[in-house]
Structure formats: C-alpha cells, structure tokens
Amino acid sequence: MSTDPTVRYERNGPVATVTMNRPRYRNAQNSAMTYALDDAFQRAAGDDGVGVVVLAGAGEHFSAGHDIGTPGRDTHLPYPRRAGLWWDHCGKSGADSRFARESEVYLGMCRRWRELPKPVIASVQGACVAGGLMLAWVCDLIVASDDAFFADPVVRMGVPGVEYFAHPWVMPPRVAKEFLYTGDRMSARRAYEIGMVNRVVPRAELAPGTHELALRIAAMPRMGLALAKRAVNQAEDLQGLHSGLDAAFALHHLAHAHNAETGDGPLGGMDIEAMKAKERGA
C-alpha cells in the first residue's frame, strides 16, 4: 500500500490547494480520503492567511467517484463523526448501517464543505463522475480543462442519482433528466454552455489559470466574500436545495433497500467492471 498522503495540502500565498491524491485509482473517494479532505478544509478555514481554496485531483482525473472496489475501500471501518449526530455505522446491518454511513461521509460532509466560509474553486480535469460531481458541486466555482467530462451513471444501479442530489440546481431540469436517464458523459464545453462550469481552459493552463482566478478573488475583503457566499447559498436553499437534497437522499436509500430485497445487493449487482461494461454498451 502507498504511504503517500491521501490528500495533499499546499499553501501558496493566499491560496490553499487541497489535492486528492489517489491517482492510481482515479482519486476514488474512500472514507480515509473524505476525512482527510475535511481536515484540509478545516485547516484552510482556520488559517487567516488563506483567502481562497482550490480543490484539485492528482493525475489524469479529478475523481471517478466513490470507492466501490479498490484495495483501499474502507466502508467497514469506523471514523470520528463530524458531519452529524447519527450513530456509527459499524456493527450495524442493512439500512441501519448504510443510512448512517452515507448521512455522514456523503451528504453530511458535502453540506459541511459547502458552508466553508471562504471561496472554493474546483479545478477539474479528466473524469468528474458520480461522487466526483458531488465534490465539484459543493465548490463555489468550477474551472475545467477542455478534456474534462462529467457524468452521474448510478441510475444503472437502480439508484436515482448521487447522494448530494444538486442536479436540478446546477443545470436546467430537462438537462438534468437527460443526464440521469442516459448516464452519458457531458463534455466540459457543454457543461459551460448550461452554466455548470465557469471556465474551460486547455489542460496545460488548468492549474495556472485556476490559481490566477483564485488570486484575483483572494484580493477581495474576506468578510465581504464570506457574506456574499452565504447570501447566494441561502438563496439556493430558499429555492429548495436543502429540502430537495433530503427528499432525494431518502429515495436514494429506498433504492438501496429495494436492490437488497430483490437479491442484487444494494448496488444493484454493479461493481466497477460492470459499470464500465454498461458504459461501453456491453
């Protein structure tokens, strides 16, 4: 097993860069990475010298989503709970376990990070899929390389979408439906056209271009940025984002329970290879 940190943290002037660091597995998110991300975001929030945070992924891809099959998969392990007051998932079974874990490390952590009182920019290259979308969507801005693509293919599992179900808020509803119904990849250019992405740049310009934007934003007053972020987030919540996430999360777990009851397992019989085969049309 690699001894490299799961998440790297670097500060360059007023910009803190948080980098997911499992490139061999396309930055698949296990619990160790989730809590390491939380540590990094807390560090950035508490550092008065940090004005803006950049979230990036090491290697060819931003993130291929939640870890559903790497050697580092750790769904069975306990971690200190930070995002809510639900009980620990370890030692439980069925929905008692899955609902507790996903309330913490998926929906709960995403909500927690969305409220970080400093601007956060996602710097996205390659795959931004399923759980990767969740990480990009909690960021305030998204800068994508021209080879980036976005997808939520989990309907193939019989599940209505990822746990942080922001689809109808980050894209028009009919586009969201097509995105979910087909599971197709959305190009960076298309994501820009519908307003989900702020900028599209050549791959070689992604890191420097994101850093330049971060520096421009960091020159603004910290309190003004924090209040502007809170104002926009509150407007989204008034448009139903918070309650919509709760409703979709319940449907997500209904789907897991249905899959388990019909004998295919909570993921509908899908693993990494099966998902790839479905994407190829096999």
Side-chain angles (χ1 to χ4, degrees), residues 21-36:
N21 192 35
R22 299 185 75 204
R24 179 179 178 184
Y25 303 111
R26 302 171 76 186
N27 295 317
Q29 304 158 35
N30 56 9
S31 292
M33 176 181 281
T34 301
Y35 284 93

Side-chain angles (χ1 to χ4, degrees), residues 198-245:
N198 296 87
R199 299 183 180 186
V200 178
V201 299
R203 179 68 169 264
E205 297 177 18
L206 178 62
T210 304
H211 187 74
E212 180 184 4
L213 176 60
L215 286 174
R216 285 187 59 198
I217 295 170
M220 299 289 278
R222 181 178 68 176
M223 191 62 173
L225 289 170
L227 294 178
K229 177 168 182 172
R230 176 63 63 89
V232 176
N233 282 0
Q234 287 176 334
E236 284 188 308
D237 289 339
L238 288 169
Q239 293 166 353
L241 175 60
H242 194 282
S243 57
L245 290 172

Side-chain angles (χ1 to χ4, degrees), residues 249-272:
F249 190 66
L251 295 174
H252 182 96
H253 283 274
L254 171 62
H256 280 317
H258 173 75
N259 286 341
E261 283 195 26
T262 56
D264 294 326
L267 301 183
M270 293 284 107
D271 57 17
I272 293 174

Side-chain angles (χ1 to χ4, degrees), residues 142-226:
I142 301 174
V143 179
S145 63
D146 51 14
D147 66 345
F149 63 89
F150 305 84
D152 185 357
V154 302
V155 174
R156 295 186 181 121
M157 298 177 176
V159 175
V162 291
E163 293 84 355
Y164 187 82
F165 193 88
H167 308 64
W169 286 269
V170 300
M171 61 182 81
R174 285 191 175 85
V175 176
K177 288 177 180 178
E178 180 181 1
F179 188 67
L180 288 163
Y181 294 174
T182 65
D184 288 346
R185 296 179 177 185
M186 179 183 289
S187 69
R189 179 54 55 185
R190 176 62 171 154
Y192 174 79
E193 290 171 352
I194 65 169
M196 191 174 82
V197 163
N198 296 87
R199 299 183 180 186
V200 178
V201 299
R203 179 68 169 264
E205 297 177 18
L206 178 62
T210 304
H211 187 74
E212 180 184 4
L213 176 60
L215 286 174
R216 285 187 59 198
I217 295 170
M220 299 289 278
R222 181 178 68 176
M223 191 62 173
L225 289 170

Side-chain angles (χ1 to χ4, degrees), residues 56-68:
E60 294 300 307
H61 301 282
F62 177 75
S63 176
H66 296 143
D67 189 342
I68 62 171

Side-chain angles (χ1 to χ4, degrees), residues 4-16:
D4 291 339
T6 303
V7 170
R8 298 199 310 263
Y9 184 97
E10 302 165 280
R11 180 179 157 193
N12 185 354
V15 179

